[in-house]
Amino acid sequence: MSFSSLGLRAELLQAITEEGYTVPTPVQSQTIPIVLSGKDVMAGAQTGTGKTAAFALPILQILSENRPLGRRPRLRALVLTPTRELAAQVAESFKDYGRHLPLTTGLVFGGVGIGPQIEQLRRGVDVLVATPGRLLDHAGQKTVDLSAVEILVLDEGDRMLDMGFVRDIRRIINLLPKLRRNLLFSATFPDEIRRLAEDMMNSPVRIDIERKTLDADLVNQRVHPVDRDKKRAALSHLIRSEEWSQVLVFARTKHGANRLADQLTRDGLPAAAIHGNKSQGARTMALSDFKTGRARILVATDLASRGLDIEQLPCVVNYELPQVPEDYVHRIGRTGRAGKTGLAVSLVSIEEHGMLLDIEKLLQHDIPQEVIIGFEPAVPFVIRPKNAAAPGRPGRGSGRSTVRSFSPSPRRR
Ligand code: AMP
């Protein structure tokens, strides 16, 4: 399967080549022809699968095919995303893929001045990427005209639900023309998202991208059992001894993320933190420090990490396991993206056992465990299925989990 066989026009193929993509990812090869055929799509696909291009490319194609010439652009494709970071990334993708086409993409989200957004909307855009709250502000002030919207995309539907945006989305849908195409992307389909889909969509084609594409194939995962109060030292040790050049560390709370970033920095490992309490400016700065290498470590909460598009991220660390197993998959999706192998390391204390088991159940496989020499937990733990080897004979008879000693590789020169 190649991009040219998907029926995309030359300007888009050229941009794809310039992006360095050679073959479409599964969600792209399945979604693009269906969107081009005019049908609604409901796709189960997570970040990291290439889903943005799966909707952006056919939308650009459709808009470029029948764009009224010589007029101010009219807003014909609306993309709603849960976070400002994701909105910015998606808008950037539209601009990248559409760089050889005469189409414009606008971006509106909260937390920044509304004036420049009003100006941008006044000049006219073909595509608008927006977070729901700010879009409703614009609609209330009549600074956005939604009457020509032909295509609606809801990106990360389940996240929108988690963040309480479903009512806003319903209000926005009520402002749109009834006759339109709808695309819904969501990692999971809880009942409320299904109901929303039933209400807003017209016999959608359902596409499911296996979680596997994101998990085992591309990401080396390991668990380091370690006591809670040793985690920080263990993390510094790993970063140094394994010479991780760029690492995204997940913490559970905003406060924890800040504290960890401060401690690592004091420890001589410059780290930035990114979470919902930070202003947009501070988030952008933290991200840019990380991307340019000024900060080797970015500590993030789950919510803030959504939609961060950091390419070729070699390593992700779960400093604390997430409460929701699905978030583990989202987190490790930050590494091993689109063909590149990544490493996902979880520091797991005895208190987090239950969460680890839930994650392994979701993944349908174990994550290998390795004790870091010098950071052995006070109470060693081995997870075995029921009926497995007796205590004291770890791992025997089950083959399910292993505990190995792990001493980080010596410095390579
Ligand atoms: P997404 O799931 O949309 O966040 O995309 C994940 C990452 O994969 C982004 O960094 C894209 O630039 C990259 N990507 C998307 N499609 C392809 C492709 N066909 N080949 C290689 N990389 C891709």
Side-chain angles (χ1 to χ4, degrees), residues 214-221 332-333 335-337 340-344:
L214 197 129
D215 165 28
D217 293 354
L218 288 174
V219 184
N220 284 322
Q221 299 167 62
I332 71 167
T335 180
R337 318 182 83 194
K340 300 185 180 75
T341 310
L343 173 66

Side-chain angles (χ1 to χ4, degrees), residues 3 16 19-25 27-28 45-55 57 86 89-90 93 97 155-156 214 307-312 333-334 337-340:
F3 278 105
I16 291 166
E19 287 297 303
Y21 305 169
T22 48
V23 284
T25 66
V27 69
Q28 291 163 0
Q46 291 153 334
T47 300
T49 53
K51 68 181 167 64
T52 314
F55 61 80
L57 292 169
L86 184 61
Q89 303 288 356
V90 169
S93 297
Y97 304 144
D155 195 10
E156 307 212 343
L214 197 129
L308 287 186
D309 185 21
I310 308 160
E311 312 236 356
Q312 300 179 34
R334 308 275 97 214
R337 318 182 83 194
K340 300 185 180 75

Side-chain angles (χ1 to χ4, degrees), residues 167-184:
R167 275 183 54 199
D168 283 355
I169 291 168
R170 287 186 182 274
R171 287 174 57 202
I172 292 167
I173 289 173
N174 282 334
L175 301 172
L176 302 178
K178 298 278 167 290
L179 196 65
R180 48 160 213 274
R181 314 175 201 208
N182 302 285
L183 314 176
L184 167 64

Side-chain angles (χ1 to χ4, degrees), residues 232-276:
R232 220 253 321 113
L235 177 60
S236 294
H237 172 73
L238 286 174
I239 294 171
R240 287 209 165 86
S241 56
E242 299 226 333
E243 299 182 350
W244 290 335
S245 54
Q246 203 190 28
V247 51
L248 178 61
V249 179
F250 284 95
R252 222 165 19 224
T253 64
K254 297 169 191 170
H255 182 61
N258 266 344
R259 203 177 38 206
L260 181 60
D262 287 348
Q263 287 168 335
L264 288 169
T265 304
R266 273 202 302 275
D267 221 9
L269 295 166
I274 191 163
H275 54 68

